[in-house]
Amino acid sequence: MKLGVCYVCPVVNWPQFEPQARRFVSAYIAFPAGFPHELHVVCNGGVANAAVADLFSGLSPVYHTHDNCGWDIGAFINFAAATDCDLVLFLGVPTQFRRAGWLRRLMEAREKFSPSLLGTAASFDICPHLRTNGFLCDPQLLRDWPGKISKPQDRHHFEVGPASLTAF
């Protein structure tokens, strides 16, 4: 099984997002995943600039480019459409890890509870749903999701409500 970790790294407004991306890289290095995977960095809003390439250089990621339509959710859907990974952990820009083995624990939970959709956080606001700042699934689930992300407001419907990914 080919497992991917997809991290969305905004290159548009880089100075605003750089501290969060640096925190992600620092935590990724400090707290090993504990499970074999391939790191994918989706550069949202353009190609990897020199600062992004330098930041991720020691991790040997596979870079992808997304036009920033739909922000992180649009990038997740775009990546899911193009990847050959069998399973993907989708992570937003503010992601940080707090202990080693974070991916191993998710894979153990997947084995024990469900092969479909797992999240790193959930909410009961409006209705029960997984938060989309970190979720693990077969990318085919995103390919099959019937909704559309054409503007930033559509992101809300992807996460919560009767047409959300969790409900689907």
Side-chain angles (χ1 to χ4, degrees):
M1 173 178 50
K2 185 174 180 181
L3 175 61
V5 171
C6 173
Y7 177 71
V8 174
C9 182
V11 295
V12 60
N13 299 323
W14 174 245
Q16 175 186 346
F17 295 105
E18 181 180 9
Q20 293 177 26
R22 288 194 175 285
R23 186 180 65 197
F24 171 84
V25 169
S26 177
Y28 186 90
I29 293 167
F31 304 112
F35 200 91
H37 66 281
E38 190 173 77
L39 178 62
H40 295 265
V41 175
V42 179
C43 297
N44 225 2
V47 298
N49 58 36
V52 170
D54 183 56
L55 177 61
F56 286 91
S57 65
L59 303 179
S60 303
V62 178
Y63 288 103
H64 306 268
T65 302
H66 179 63
D67 64 8
N68 203 32
C69 176
W71 298 343
D72 55 345
I73 302 302
F76 293 157
I77 291 171
N78 183 268
F79 176 79
T83 189
D84 66 346
C85 291
D86 302 304
L87 192 62
V88 178
L89 174 60
F90 295 93
L91 300 172
V93 69
T95 299
Q96 63 179 320
F97 309 106
R98 297 182 185 262
R99 64 178 63 122
W102 48 270
L103 188 53
R104 176 186 45 78
R105 283 191 296 281
L106 272 170
M107 293 304 290
E108 288 169 353
R110 179 180 184 269
E111 181 69 29
K112 184 175 181 180
F113 297 111
S114 173
S116 58
L117 178 65
L118 290 173
T120 59
S123 174
F124 279 78
D125 289 342
I126 302 174
C127 66
H129 64 280
L130 292 178
R131 298 292 316 275
T132 56
N133 55 340
F135 63 98
L136 177 77
C137 67
D138 181 327
Q140 189 65 47
L141 186 63
L142 272 71
R143 293 181 206 128
D144 292 343
W145 180 68
K148 298 285 185 223
I149 303 291
S150 57
K151 55 190 180 297
Q153 301 89 313
D154 296 336
R155 296 167 59 250
H156 176 76
H157 301 294
F158 179 84
E159 182 169 310
V160 66
S164 71
L165 184 66
T166 301
F168 177 69

